[in-house]
């Protein structure tokens, strides 16, 4: 076994250990699923963790209503294949019922509205642990996370109130009403994820591979043309050869110009880039502490 495969297998074993710890320590865990590569990896690892038994917890997707159609189609097919229960929290329903207020204007996005819907779904389901596919290399706020990340009874995160995790011992003790966010792939990098998915031949949404799409540029970000974005005067739609490094709400998820139409080409592209995958997310550019502010409020 060469070094790279050995490294990936160590990461796999670590993540599976954390997932099994969640199943052992918590009564009602749930896996947060976005349809992106990291949550697909999480689903794949969960399947491995409990095989030949079925995955013993449901999946939760917070649907902004502005997701890429390819993402939703892939999600539904995967859930059927895995045979797991999928819970969908709808941002559109939250808007319709007055739970949240939709942003207006050219830069309007539903991304921040996910927090309220997520906390509402966790409360309704009385879930005491929510696993997510966040990684420490993604963004500076996420670099502060431990594997087991405590949340108070309001679902909020205090980065100064992190529990030690010496010798891979995880403390899941909590008070009534509190819960944990758990990040089993914390130590993976974007390159690790792609190399592992290629090694394991895991299926992914077509959005990750180079394809022609009508797009436009705004503040240095390439956005897909869609009904959810109000165009500014002077913005021009062009057909471009692009792919997406991360998948989220169409209103804030940027693409990159690329001809990488295979796993191998994507691995080579990621290995050479010096821009993080969230560098194209316009919601992260609203302030220097945009991600940390959202996480403190309950964002995953």
């Amino acid at each position: 076994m060469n070094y790279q495969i050995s490294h990936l297998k160590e990461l796999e074993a670590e993540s599976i250990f954390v997932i099994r710890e969640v199943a052992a320590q918590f009564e009602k865990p749930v896996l947060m699923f976005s349809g992106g590569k990291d949550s697909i990896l999480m689903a794949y690892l969960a399947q491995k963790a409990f095989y030949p038994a079925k995955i013993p917890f449901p999946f939760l997707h917070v649907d902004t209503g502005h997701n890429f159609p390819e993402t939703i189609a892939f999600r539904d097919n995967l859930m059927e294949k895995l045979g797991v229960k999928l819970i969908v929290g709808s941002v559109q329903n939250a808007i319709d019922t007055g739970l949240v207020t939709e942003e207006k204007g050219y830069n309007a996005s539903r991304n921040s509205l996910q927090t309220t819907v997520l906390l509402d779904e966790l409360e309704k389901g009385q879930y005491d642990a929510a696993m997510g596919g966040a990684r420490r290399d993604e963004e500076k706020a996420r670099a502060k996370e431990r594997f087991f990340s405590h949340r108070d009874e309001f679902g909020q995160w205090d980065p100064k109130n992190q529990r030690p995790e010496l010798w891979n011992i995880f403390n899941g003790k909590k008070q009534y009403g509190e819960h944990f966010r758990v990040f089993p792939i914390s130590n993976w990098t974007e390159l690790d994820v792609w190399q592992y998915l290629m090694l394991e031949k895991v299926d992914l949404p077509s959005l990750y591979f180079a394809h022609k799409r009508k797009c436009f540029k705004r503040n240095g970000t390439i956005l897909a043309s869609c009904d959810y974005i109000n165009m500014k005067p002077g913005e021009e739609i062009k057909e471009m050869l692009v792919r997406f490094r991360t998948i989220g709400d169409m209103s804030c998820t940027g693409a990159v110009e690329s001809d990488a139409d295979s796993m191998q080409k994507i691995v080579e592209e990621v290995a050479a880039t010096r821009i993080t995958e969230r560098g194209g997310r316009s919601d992260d550019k609203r302030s220097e502490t945009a991600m940390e502010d959202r996480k403190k409020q309950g964002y995953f």
Side-chain angles (χ1 to χ4, degrees):
M1 182 181 294
N2 65 38
Y3 169 77
Q4 188 56 44
I5 294 177
S6 176
H7 169 67
L8 295 175
K9 288 300 182 182
E10 286 180 10
L11 289 173
E12 176 193 71
E14 178 183 65
S15 299
I16 286 175
F17 172 73
V18 175
I19 292 170
R20 288 173 174 166
E21 276 292 299
V22 171
Q25 290 198 37
F26 297 97
E27 294 183 7
K28 290 197 69 177
V30 67
L31 190 150
M32 294 186 289
F33 187 84
S34 68
K37 70 181 187 312
D38 296 319
S39 60
I40 292 168
L41 170 61
M42 286 281 295
Y44 184 79
L45 292 170
Q47 187 180 34
K48 274 198 169 189
F50 302 104
Y51 185 84
K54 288 188 175 182
I55 297 172
F57 39 74
F59 286 26
L60 169 61
H61 180 213
V62 178
D63 183 359
T64 67
H66 290 176
N67 293 100
F68 289 91
E70 296 95 327
T71 303
I72 300 301
F74 187 93
R75 177 201 71 184
D76 294 342
N77 289 334
L78 181 61
M79 294 304 104
E80 184 177 355
K81 186 184 299 183
L82 293 176
V84 299
K85 178 183 178 182
L86 174 67
I87 300 139
V88 178
S90 171
V91 171
Q92 184 62 58
N93 287 345
I95 293 170
D96 294 341
T97 58
L99 183 63
V100 296
T101 302
E102 186 163 21
E103 294 181 358
K104 304 296 182 183
Y106 291 121
N107 297 310
S109 170
R110 289 185 172 184
N111 204 47
S112 63
L113 305 184
Q114 293 180 87
T115 299
T116 301
V117 177
L118 171 61
L119 293 175
D120 188 53
E121 290 297 331
L122 293 176
E123 176 68 23
K124 286 193 296 187
Q126 295 186 319
Y127 299 112
D128 53 1
M131 287 176 281
R135 309 185 322 271
R136 294 190 181 111
D137 78 318
E138 284 183 277
E139 204 273 341
K140 55 192 175 184
R142 286 184 168 170
K144 298 179 180 181
E145 290 280 17
R146 303 287 173 87
F147 283 105
F148 277 35
S149 183
H150 176 265
R151 295 298 197 271
D152 65 20
E153 60 182 319
F154 302 105
Q156 296 183 332
W157 175 63
D158 180 358
K160 294 178 290 185
N161 185 25
Q162 297 281 314
R163 298 178 179 180
E165 294 179 342
L166 303 175
W167 306 292
N168 286 336
I169 297 175
F170 304 117
N171 182 357
K173 291 184 179 180
K174 57 180 179 53
Q175 300 297 322
Y176 181 79
E178 299 175 344
H179 74 276
F180 277 81
R181 305 288 172 84
V182 182
F183 305 105
I185 63 170
S186 287
N187 286 338
W188 297 57
T189 66
E190 183 187 10
L191 184 58
D192 291 331
V193 172
W194 277 108
Q195 289 177 324
Y196 182 85
L197 294 174
M198 181 173 68
L199 179 69
E200 297 287 312
K201 297 180 174 61
V202 179
D203 290 332
L204 293 169
S206 59
L207 290 166
Y208 281 112
F209 302 92
H211 60 285
K212 289 183 178 179
R213 182 179 289 268
K214 291 182 178 180
C215 302
F216 67 96
K217 290 187 177 181
R218 176 179 292 176
N219 299 326
T221 299
I222 300 173
L223 295 171
S225 174
C226 64
D227 295 335
Y228 311 132
I229 303 177
N230 297 318
M231 301 287 291
K232 294 181 179 180
E235 290 180 333
E236 183 180 359
I237 296 175
K238 295 181 180 179
E239 186 174 74
M240 305 172 69
L241 184 63
V242 301
R243 75 175 193 86
F244 293 85
R245 292 176 67 189
T246 179
I247 295 177
D249 190 287
M250 291 184 74
S251 65
C252 61
T253 302
V256 294
E257 292 188 86
S258 171
D259 61 358
D261 56 2
S262 67
M263 287 275 203
Q264 183 60 49
K265 288 183 179 179
I266 291 174
V267 167
E268 293 169 0
E269 183 180 272
V270 171
T273 188
R274 291 297 177 266
I275 301 173
T276 66
E277 63 194 291
R278 292 191 69 93
R281 292 292 292 266
S282 60
D283 52 318
D284 287 353
K285 298 177 181 179
R286 293 190 172 193
S287 74
E288 281 291 321
T289 59
M291 172 63 82
E292 182 156 340
D293 292 341
R294 293 202 304 276
K295 285 174 65 63
K296 287 180 179 178
Q297 294 164 4
Y299 189 75
F300 64 87

